[in-house]
Amino acid sequence: MSTSHSRARGRVAVIGAGPAGMATALSVHQAGHEVVLFERYREARPAGNILNLWPAPIKALGLMGVDTHDLGAPCRTEVRSAGGHLRASVRLPQSVIDQYGGGFIGLLRPELYRRLVATLPSGVLQVDRQVESFDQDADGVLLHMADGEAVEADLVVGADGIDSMVRQTLWGLTPKRKHNLHIIGGYTFDHPASAVRGLCVMSHSRRVQGSWTSIRHEGRDGYQWWVLEAHEDNGDELGRSLAEHAAELASEFAAPLPELVAATAPEAMQRWILRDRKPIPQWSKGRATLVGDAAHATSPYAAYGAGMATEDGYFLGRRLAGIDLADPIALGEALTAFEAPRKRHTARQVQLAWALGKVFHHTPTPLQPVRDAAFNRTPLLQKVIGEQSPKEIVAQIDEIDAAEKAFVEAIGV
C-alpha cells in the first residue's frame, strides 16, 4: 500500500482519545509530524471520576503545552492502619516537593481531559470516527473506518484501551486478569473539619482499603475518597446503593473517611471492577505500536494508570522527533528505543499493583494478623511504598529531562 510522502516528516494516526492518545497526539505534533486522533465516541470522555497524578506526568504535560496551573491539589502520602497508625510515608526529594508542592496532585479526571482537548491543535481530534481494522506493509498503514473510508498513515498508535483492537491485531488478546476486587470512589466539596488539606491517607483494615485525598477542581477545594475490597468478579450487582455499601466499608476507618463518604452525593460516586492484562514482551510491530492501557492495563491500586499513559505519549513523540517515518528501518529503531524503557517501568507498576491487591485483600484469614504485625512493626511498607516508589518517580523525571534535551537537539530549537 503505497502512501504519499510529500509531507515533511510523516503522518501518524492515533486511535483513542484518552490521556495516552491525546498526549501522543500533542507530542507527535510537537515533533513536526502530521497527526490525526480518532475517537469513536462523540467526544473525548473520561471513563472515571477521580484521579491522582504524580510529578513525572505533570512535568510531561507542561512540556507538551498543557496548562497545569492549579490543575489539582498537591499532596503528600501516608499509609496507615484503619485506626490511624502510621505504616509508611512517601519520601520524595525536597527539590521535587518544592517544584510540585507535594508528591502528587488530586483532581477530577474530566478536568484533565478538558485541558488536554483545549491544547490539541485544530483539526487533530476527529470524534465519532471508529477505526474497525488496519493493514500494514513496509510502505505504510491503511486504516479501515466504520463509515467505509480508508485512511493512510505511516504509523498507527493504539491508544484504544484494555480491549485494544490494535493490540489484538498485532499480538492477539491475552485473557483479562481478574483481581477479584472492586472499588467505590467519589468526591465532595462539602467536607468535615477533620479533613486535612494537602494530605493523602491510604489505610487498610483486615479486609478493606479506605483512602482519601485533597483535590482541586475549577478553583474549588474538595476531597476524593475510595474504598476497595475483595469481590468475586462474576458480574453480580451489589444489591444495594453504592452509598450504603461505601458507608459500611468506610465505617471501619478513622475520621474523616466516614464523614467524606456521607457528604458525597450519589451522582458523584462510581464503582468499577479491577482487571488488567499481564505485561507483554513487545509493543511494536512494523508500523504499529501501543500506548496506555492498550500496552499495560493497570489496576487502580498503583494510582498510576493515567500518569503512565501520559508519559507513554510524551516519550513516543519525543522518540519520533527528527525521524523520517517513510523509512521503515529508522521508524523501527525509534519504536524500539521508545518501548524498551517503558516496558520495564510499566511492567513493574502493573505487577506491583497486582501484588498489593493480593497481599492486602486475598491473604488467608489465619495469616492476616501476621501480615498486619509485619506492616505495623517492620519497615517493609516503608521500603516498598515509601522509598522504592519515590525512586521510580525521580527516575521518570530524570528520563523526561534526558528526552527533552535530545528532543530540543533533534528539532533544532
Side-chain angles (χ1 to χ4, degrees), residues 167-187:
R167 174 167 169 164
Q168 183 172 12
T169 301
L170 297 179
W171 308 113
L173 281 182
T174 57
K176 289 181 183 176
R177 183 165 57 173
K178 297 181 178 181
H179 290 227
N180 288 313
L181 301 170
H182 73 155
I183 183 171
I184 301 172
Y187 62 91

Side-chain angles (χ1 to χ4, degrees), residues 132-193:
E132 290 194 333
S133 63
F134 71 94
D135 303 307
Q136 63 163 314
D137 60 22
D139 294 325
V141 181
L142 191 64
L143 289 79
H144 305 284
M145 310 301 293
D147 61 8
E149 182 183 358
V151 177
E152 295 180 345
D154 297 294
L155 170 67
V156 61
V157 181
D160 47 345
I162 190 171
D163 294 314
S164 168
M165 176 275 292
V166 178
R167 174 167 169 164
Q168 183 172 12
T169 301
L170 297 179
W171 308 113
L173 281 182
T174 57
K176 289 181 183 176
R177 183 165 57 173
K178 297 181 178 181
H179 290 227
N180 288 313
L181 301 170
H182 73 155
I183 183 171
I184 301 172
Y187 62 91
T188 179
F189 297 100
D190 297 321
H191 42 83

Side-chain angles (χ1 to χ4, degrees), residues 182-185 231 236-238 242 269-273:
H182 73 155
I183 183 171
I184 301 172
H231 186 276
D236 289 349
E237 297 297 324
L238 290 175
L242 294 186
M269 295 186 188
Q270 186 176 4
R271 171 180 178 252
W272 58 99
I273 306 295

Side-chain angles (χ1 to χ4, degrees), residues 19 21 26 54 90 102 114 137 170 218 229 298 344 409:
L26 288 171
W54 291 92
V90 175
R114 186 187 70 79
D137 60 22
L170 297 179
E218 297 179 347
E229 66 172 343
T298 309
R344 291 192 297 270
E409 294 173 353

Side-chain angles (χ1 to χ4, degrees), residues 55-57 59-60 63 100 283 304 308 311-312 314-316 318-319 336-346 348 391-407:
K59 184 181 184 72
L63 291 169
Y100 296 97
W283 296 357
Y304 207 179
M308 290 194 298
E311 294 169 8
D312 287 347
Y314 165 83
F315 282 114
L316 177 56
R318 268 42 185 175
R319 285 294 185 181
T336 298
F338 154 68
E339 72 171 55
R342 297 305 299 158
K343 285 187 300 186
R344 291 192 297 270
H345 171 63
T346 57
R348 281 195 294 265
K391 289 179 181 178
E392 289 278 337
I393 293 166
V394 172
Q396 289 305 298
I397 293 174
D398 290 343
E399 288 196 22
I400 290 174
D401 288 337
E404 199 64 16
K405 181 180 179 182
F407 171 69

Side-chain angles (χ1 to χ4, degrees), residues 163-236:
D163 294 314
S164 168
M165 176 275 292
V166 178
R167 174 167 169 164
Q168 183 172 12
T169 301
L170 297 179
W171 308 113
L173 281 182
T174 57
K176 289 181 183 176
R177 183 165 57 173
K178 297 181 178 181
H179 290 227
N180 288 313
L181 301 170
H182 73 155
I183 183 171
I184 301 172
Y187 62 91
T188 179
F189 297 100
D190 297 321
H191 42 83
S194 57
V196 179
R197 299 299 305 163
L199 181 62
C200 169
V201 174
M202 299 177 60
S203 302
H204 294 85
S205 69
R206 290 272 170 95
R207 64 188 189 95
V208 179
Q209 181 197 146
S211 302
W212 58 272
T213 180
S214 296
I215 60 170
R216 285 276 289 175
H217 180 66
E218 297 179 347
R220 300 176 66 192
D221 290 326
Y223 291 87
Q224 62 183 4
W225 55 266
W226 59 97
V227 287
L228 188 155
E229 66 172 343
H231 186 276
E232 193 69 26
D233 189 352
N234 53 17
D236 289 349

Side-chain angles (χ1 to χ4, degrees), residues 266-279:
E267 60 269 21
M269 295 186 188
Q270 186 176 4
R271 171 180 178 252
W272 58 99
I273 306 295
L274 272 60
R275 303 182 182 113
D276 67 10
R277 294 189 191 277
K278 291 183 179 179

Side-chain angles (χ1 to χ4, degrees), residues 12-54:
V12 178
V14 184
I15 304 174
M22 287 192 277
T24 299
L26 288 171
S27 191
V28 167
H29 174 77
Q30 287 182 328
H33 301 295
E34 181 183 346
V35 60
V36 60
L37 174 59
F38 294 119
E39 170 54 49
R40 63 176 175 166
Y41 295 112
R42 294 183 178 179
E43 60 181 352
R45 62 180 195 176
N49 51 9
I50 58 179
L51 181 64
N52 298 325
L53 282 179
W54 291 92

